[in-house]
Amino acid sequence: MSFVMPMRLEPFKAACSSCNLRELCLPVGMSSEQVARLDALVATRRSLPRGEMLFRAGDGFQALYAVRTGFFKTCLSSEDGRDQVTGFQMAGELLGLDGISTDRHTCDAVALEDSTVCVIPYHMLEGLSHELTDLQRVFHKIMSREIVRDHGVMLLLGSMRAEERLAAFLLNLTQRLHMRGYSRTEFILRMTREEIGSYLGLKLETVSRTFSKFQDDGLLEVKQKQIRILDQEGLRRLVSSPAC
Amino acid sequence: MSFVMPMRLEPFKAACSSCNLRELCLPVGMSSEQVARLDALVATRRSLPRGEMLFRAGDGFQALYAVRTGFFKTCLSSEDGRDQVTGFQMAGELLGLDGISTDRHTCDAVALEDSTVCVIPYHMLEGLSHELTDLQRVFHKIMSREIVRDHGVMLLLGSMRAEERLAAFLLNLTQRLHMRGYSRTEFILRMTREEIGSYLGLKLETVSRTFSKFQDDGLLEVKQKQIRILDQEGLRRLVSSPAC
DNA sequence: CGCGAGCTTGATGCCGATCAATGCATGTGG
DNA sequence: CCACATGCATTGATCGGCATCAAGCTCGCG
């Protein structure tokens, strides 16, 4: 904390056209000619060691970031010290959309493991999406999807109980990991119990207890951050069981 | 409920250029030439009596809607009967952004009083924002603002207590009403205690009790749906007081 | 080896949910 | 006009889920 690290930019250009995240990221559904145009735009990458901030609330907004490798959280900290994790982002997901509204970022983005992102200068994205209808279409869909996701979190925070929240969280996580080619049943949590709790509106002790309960019920196996899902159906039932 | 009312379309065209909500709505900051182009796009209005749905979850997504007069709620209902109000919209605010992501609406939009909206066919908006850089810019900002708003609600739902939630809600409401020229201190709630509760993650009894407490504390006067704020500063202090 | 960050587990208490009764407006039909 | 129904709001009594406080425990790392 005593001095500022210069940000690390890779010497080589990023290239959407040769990126294996193509179908999960901004270029989804675009033709190879169109993706080639994107390459010009996504000029640089940036590496962040675990714990480093990609941007923080109040920073001027210049660019969006696509997670290339690694894992991030975004969090809001209100003036009175309250803290809320608003999301976790993995490969192919976009960071920084909140900055568009006021030209300043409104939350912090923190790497939860060593990570790299592709830097997408926003004014260039605006320019290119002006030319490429498909890019505009995809970009709007991505923003809209973020809104839909947020509404889902509101539903979770507003009306679910602790077990339902954690179950929904785990199912969401495994589903996203699975889309990226990872196991659907076994994975490592990149965030602490406290960060999960903040995201889910629970205290870390409750998160821990709920993990233990799930383990006792034979739904999963927990060994610190290692999780193995044993009964996905059981978790699913938990989420969509009426409060009865 | 026994038959379907045909939707009412006004015989006259809407006109952004002569609309007094210009500066709160899509045309914000655009030149009069540009706004004139918008007029072609915002072709029709639609009137809804109180209680009617503008769209519902699952409907095909065709258009965005700008509230012209009246008041709406949007709400999510999950398969298991849970219900979550995700927002309240008043004049100048846009409805339907969630539909872009999957070409289907993901929530219901309900008029809470007799209302009119301007219909903005989405494919035309895409086309025009392709030509008008400023329109594109404004539209992106509006979507981003919705994301920022949602994050604020997450903070509220995830970390505030009942009194703080209601105080934050009331301050937000008065602020938006004030921007539209209404009194900052006196207004009529268009939604029920239950709808407020759903939005804030509380039960209606808790909302009612909290209103009563605020009244006892001299912060405001409640007579059913009529609210008069007596001590705005007091409410503000409530919101930003550390949990201590 | 020992320190510290993060995790687990237990005991207790409180906030808000739940259950239940009453009050208060608005509307409807006799 | 009154009797009655209906929807919404208020208020009280009780309960329960999660927060809080407080020890230990585990594991990675200098």
Side-chain angles (χ1 to χ4, degrees):
Chain A
M1 286 303 152
S2 54
F3 65 98
V4 176
M5 295 279 283
M7 74 169 68
R8 282 188 257 169
L9 296 177
E10 305 295 320
F12 51 87
K13 289 174 65 70
C16 295
S17 41
S18 64
C19 179
N20 56 359
L21 294 168
R22 241 186 349 276
E23 289 307 315
L24 289 167
C25 193
L26 203 50
V28 62
M30 293 170 59
S31 74
S32 42
E33 295 80 37
Q34 291 172 326
V35 178
R37 302 284 308 274
L38 259 188
D39 287 351
L41 190 156
V42 181
T44 57
R45 290 197 192 141
R46 183 173 159 193
S47 296
L48 298 98
R50 173 184 167 156
E52 190 157 310
M53 285 194 169
L54 177 58
F55 54 78
R56 61 185 75 211
D59 285 356
F61 168 69
Q62 308 290 343
L64 297 172
Y65 305 91
V67 179
R68 187 167 160 69
T69 63
F71 204 89
F72 286 82
K73 71 170 175 181
T74 47
C75 55
L76 229 62
S77 18
S78 64
E79 59 270 14
D80 52 309
R82 243 189 289 265
D83 206 71
Q84 174 75 24
V85 172
T86 55
F88 297 108
Q89 294 79 22
M90 56 180 76
E93 297 177 332
L94 242 46
L95 282 157
L97 293 173
D98 59 283
I100 298 171
S101 86
T102 56
D103 293 319
R104 303 214 155 266
H105 288 287
T106 60
C107 63
D108 301 333
V110 184
L112 294 182
E113 60 178 329
D114 295 351
S115 303
T116 60
V117 296
C118 298
V119 180
I120 309 171
Y122 180 63
H123 69 279
M124 292 179 69
L125 180 66
E126 277 194 317
L128 190 57
S129 73
H130 222 253
E131 289 184 56
L132 301 182
T133 312
D134 286 346
L135 176 58
Q136 190 192 49
R137 221 197 52 245
V138 170
F139 183 57
H140 288 174
K141 286 200 183 229
I142 287 176
M143 294 204 91
S144 175
R145 193 172 56 196
E146 175 69 16
I147 292 172
V148 172
R149 185 193 73 85
D150 291 348
H151 289 175
V153 176
M154 285 187 208
L155 177 69
L156 181 147
L157 290 172
S159 71
M160 293 188 178
R161 283 162 327 92
E163 290 184 25
E164 305 173 300
R165 293 184 198 194
L166 189 61
F169 171 72
L170 291 172
L171 289 171
N172 175 277
L173 216 54
T174 54
Q175 189 253 327
R176 282 154 70 203
L177 286 168
H178 188 62
M179 284 180 62
R180 285 158 181 80
Y182 296 101
S183 163
R184 196 196 282 276
T185 60
E186 208 160 339
F187 58 100
I188 294 178
L189 294 171
R190 299 301 171 174
M191 68 295 277
T192 66
R193 302 289 190 263
E194 184 166 20
E195 287 160 339
I196 297 173
S198 172
Y199 184 58
L200 299 179
L202 303 169
K203 292 286 124 173
L204 71 95
E205 295 94 328
T206 304
V207 173
S208 180
R209 269 185 252 273
T210 309
F211 269 127
S212 300
K213 172 150 198 318
F214 284 176
Q215 187 162 233
D216 294 347
D217 294 352
L219 294 171
L220 43 76
E221 231 177 78
V222 192
K223 202 186 285 174
Q224 302 283 107
K225 306 212 157 188
Q226 300 221 82
I227 306 287
R228 184 206 304 266
I229 308 285
L230 298 176
D231 181 3
Q232 190 173 38
E233 237 352 280
L235 284 177
R236 218 183 295 282
R237 263 195 309 276
L238 255 182
V239 174
S240 54
S241 72
C244 59
Chain B
M1 284 304 151
S2 52
F3 64 99
V4 175
M5 294 279 282
M7 74 169 68
R8 281 187 258 169
L9 296 176
E10 305 295 321
F12 50 88
K13 290 173 64 72
C16 295
S17 41
S18 63
C19 178
N20 57 358
L21 294 167
R22 241 186 350 277
E23 289 307 315
L24 289 166
C25 193
L26 204 51
V28 63
M30 293 170 58
S31 72
S32 42
E33 295 80 38
Q34 291 172 327
V35 178
R37 302 286 306 274
L38 259 188
D39 287 350
L41 191 155
V42 181
T44 55
R45 291 198 193 140
R46 182 173 158 194
S47 296
L48 297 98
R50 173 184 167 156
E52 190 157 308
M53 285 194 169
L54 177 58
F55 54 78
R56 60 185 76 211
D59 286 356
F61 168 69
Q62 307 290 345
L64 299 172
Y65 304 91
V67 179
R68 188 168 161 71
T69 62
F71 204 88
F72 286 83
K73 70 169 175 181
T74 48
C75 55
L76 229 62
S77 20
S78 64
E79 59 271 13
D80 52 309
R82 242 190 290 266
D83 206 72
Q84 175 75 23
V85 172
T86 55
F88 297 106
Q89 294 79 22
M90 56 179 77
E93 297 176 333
L94 242 47
L95 282 156
L97 293 173
D98 59 283
I100 298 171
S101 86
T102 57
D103 293 318
R104 304 214 154 264
H105 288 287
T106 62
C107 63
D108 302 333
V110 184
L112 295 183
E113 60 178 329
D114 295 353
S115 302
T116 61
V117 296
C118 298
V119 179
I120 309 172
Y122 181 63
H123 69 278
M124 292 180 69
L125 180 66
E126 276 194 318
L128 189 58
S129 74
H130 222 252
E131 287 184 54
L132 300 182
T133 312
D134 286 346
L135 176 59
Q136 190 192 51
R137 220 196 53 244
V138 169
F139 182 56
H140 288 173
K141 287 200 181 225
I142 287 175
M143 294 205 91
S144 174
R145 193 172 56 196
E146 175 68 16
I147 292 172
V148 172
R149 184 193 73 86
D150 291 348
H151 290 175
V153 176
M154 286 187 208
L155 177 69
L156 181 147
L157 291 172
S159 71
M160 292 188 179
R161 283 161 330 90
E163 291 184 24
E164 305 173 298
R165 294 184 198 194
L166 189 60
F169 170 73
L170 291 172
L171 288 171
N172 174 277
L173 216 54
T174 53
Q175 189 253 327
R176 283 154 69 203
L177 286 169
H178 187 61
M179 284 180 62
R180 285 159 180 80
Y182 296 101
S183 163
R184 194 197 282 277
T185 60
E186 208 161 338
F187 59 99
I188 294 179
L189 295 171
R190 298 301 170 176
M191 68 295 276
T192 66
R193 301 289 189 263
E194 184 166 19
E195 286 161 338
I196 296 173
S198 171
Y199 183 60
L200 299 179
L202 302 169
K203 293 285 126 174
L204 71 93
E205 294 94 329
T206 304
V207 174
S208 181
R209 270 185 250 274
T210 309
F211 268 127
S212 300
K213 172 150 195 321
F214 283 177
Q215 188 163 233
D216 293 347
D217 294 352
L219 293 171
L220 43 77
E221 229 177 79
V222 191
K223 202 186 286 176
Q224 302 284 109
K225 306 212 157 186
Q226 300 220 80
I227 307 289
R228 182 207 304 267
I229 307 284
L230 298 176
D231 182 3
Q232 190 173 37
E233 238 349 281
L235 285 176
R236 216 183 295 283
R237 264 195 309 276
L238 255 181
V239 174
S240 55
S241 72
C244 57

